[in-house]
Every structure is written in C-alpha cells, then in structure tokens.
Amino acid sequence: KAGVTQTPRYLIKTRGQQVTLSCSPISGHRSVSWYQQTPGQGLQFLFEYFSETQRNKGNFPGRFSGRQFSNSRSEMNVSTLELGDSALYLCASSLGRSPGTRFSGANVLTFGAGSRLTVL
Amino acid sequence: GESVGLHLPTLSVQEGDNSIINCAYSNSASDYFIWYKQESGKGPQFIIDIRSNMDKRQGQRVTVLLNKTVKHLSLQIAATQPGDSAVYFCAETHEDYKLSFGAGTTVTVRA
C-alpha cells in the first residue's frame, strides 16, 4: 500500500513569505503528526491531529499552524518565514487509537520522506 | 531542552561486526522507547520498540536494551551490513501522541 506522501518535496522561499505543506497519510490512518528536522536541533515535535482535532502541540511559535481534513489529509502552514525555519518537515501517520494505547503497534509512526524548506 | 541524547554522533564499524548505539534519556516518566533508522533522502523508519517494564527486546538482527536505573538505552545490530549505514535515532514518549527524539548517531559501515 502507498506510504505517507508529502508535497512538495523541495521548496525555496524568502523571509517574510508563508508556506503550506501537505501530507497524505497511509490509507486508514487517522492520526497525523508533524516534526521539524534540523542539523542543530534534530527532530522536534510540532503537532499531532486526529479526526480533525489537534491533540498535542510542541513548543513552536504561533507562526506554525496545522489542520487536518475529514479525509485525514493534513496541512501545516508557516507564516512570516525566518531564516531559522529552513528545515526538513516530516509528516508521520498512525492508526492513532485512544490514549493509553500508545504501546501498541497501532501507534507506531510511519514517516514520509519530508518537505525540505529553504528560506533565503 | 532535549530529554533524549546519544553518546556519540558517529560510529564507524567493519562489515560483519556488531554495532552498539547508545542513548541516554533524562525523563524518569518516559515509559516507551523506539529506535528509528533514517537513510539519506528518506524519513525515519521504525526499527524496534520497548516498554519501560522490559529490559530487553529482540528483533531480526537487532536487540534493544533498556536500563532504567541509569536511564540508558542501546541498540545492538548483529553482523552489520552495508545497508545498515544510516542515522539512528532513539525516541521516548511520556505523553500521548508526542515523541521526543535524540540527536542521532551516524553509522558508517566499512567494507
């Protein structure tokens, strides 16, 4: 079956612009998580969505936002881009069952290949 | 700050030898740990996981050891192959829906 699909794979923006990244989860997966990966900070959690609701978010400024649609596809948006926003943005999906079941295989994250954003 | 860290950023290993990748964590509430492998140009790929009520778990050619006393996690890869060259991340969770990742160890396999 198809994996997690992220678009676009590469993009270049300038400071002050905004960007929208898209993620299509594995069919049947209802949870979508977003992570930012940089050489200095590693993988940092941005937010997680399930059934169009944000269930957890990381320590990022309000310029970073996301949403999930009824078909489980998700988008994240970064407004007023800064140079430090240059990163690989990774989306991951899972079945996303209810709290307390995170030890099960149902909540193993499957990652996409990422969207590499360069801010000039 | 980070709650998960790795002891060494790089590891060079001879093909056929065993590899050991270490990871330290600081949050005593961490109750679930996962190792991921990331190859160039790809997203992280799940390798193996372990709950905090276990101290060892084995998979195919991989073993994860957990020492909660010293908050230490390790990944052992048996008979390392060229395809094992990648960046390895440990991750922990102590709250739902969120993983905290370590900085990663780059493993290079020498032929």
Side-chain angles (χ1 to χ4, degrees):
Chain A
K1 59 182 176 182
V4 178
T5 303
Q6 293 189 245
T7 58
R9 287 294 311 278
Y10 303 91
L11 67 167
I12 300 174
K13 293 286 187 178
T14 57
R15 280 180 298 174
Q17 287 187 311
Q18 67 145 10
V19 66
T20 298
L21 308 177
S22 179
C23 173
S24 293
I26 291 173
S27 179
H29 283 192
R30 297 173 64 191
S31 168
V32 173
S33 302
W34 289 89
Y35 288 79
Q36 180 196 65
Q37 186 174 26
T38 60
Q41 297 297 315
L43 281 145
Q44 301 277 319
F45 173 75
L46 281 156
F47 23 66
E48 188 266 359
Y49 289 88
F50 179 84
S51 292
E52 302 177 67
T53 300
Q54 185 182 91
R55 297 193 295 189
N56 203 347
K57 71 186 300 286
N59 298 320
F60 280 82
R63 299 186 296 109
F64 292 80
S65 63
R67 59 177 175 168
Q68 187 182 33
F69 302 95
S70 58
N71 62 358
S72 294
R73 191 178 69 84
S74 177
E75 290 181 346
M76 69 162 283
N77 182 276
V78 188
S79 62
T80 320
L81 284 165
E82 300 177 0
L83 296 178
D85 297 332
S86 294
L88 181 67
Y89 290 89
L90 290 160
C91 168
S93 74
S94 73
L95 289 170
R97 297 282 166 75
S98 55
T101 61
R102 64 180 183 272
F103 303 128
S104 74
N107 283 335
V108 168
L109 297 183
T110 301
F111 283 86
S115 293
R116 183 164 296 282
L117 170 66
T118 301
V119 182
L120 301 176
Chain B
E2 287 188 351
S3 64
V4 187
L6 289 170
H7 291 307
L8 293 173
T10 61
L11 176 67
S12 180
V13 61
Q14 186 70 37
E15 181 179 356
D17 287 352
N18 296 335
S19 303
I20 299 176
I21 306 166
N22 295 304
C23 179
Y25 64 96
S26 59
N27 195 327
S28 58
S30 301
D31 54 9
Y32 180 52
F33 305 85
I34 310 170
W35 281 98
Y36 279 92
K37 170 187 180 182
Q38 186 174 24
E39 297 174 279
S40 181
K42 298 182 179 180
Q45 177 185 4
F46 172 89
I47 301 173
I48 192 168
D49 58 358
I50 189 168
R51 303 182 192 184
S52 61
N53 62 354
M54 303 171 69
D55 53 22
K56 181 179 180 179
R57 190 160 189 230
Q58 290 184 288
Q60 186 176 11
R61 282 202 307 121
V62 294
T63 300
V64 56
L65 299 177
L66 174 62
N67 186 329
K68 293 180 291 295
T69 302
V70 296
K71 298 190 183 67
H72 182 269
L73 189 69
S74 68
L75 177 70
Q76 300 178 2
I77 304 173
T80 310
Q81 303 170 357
D84 294 327
S85 292
V87 181
Y88 289 80
F89 296 94
C90 64
E92 63 86 14
T93 181
H94 57 275
E95 58 183 291
D96 290 318
Y97 321 128
K98 172 184 176 182
L99 287 177
S100 296
F101 284 83
T105 290
T106 300
V107 173
T108 302
V109 181
R110 306 189 306 272

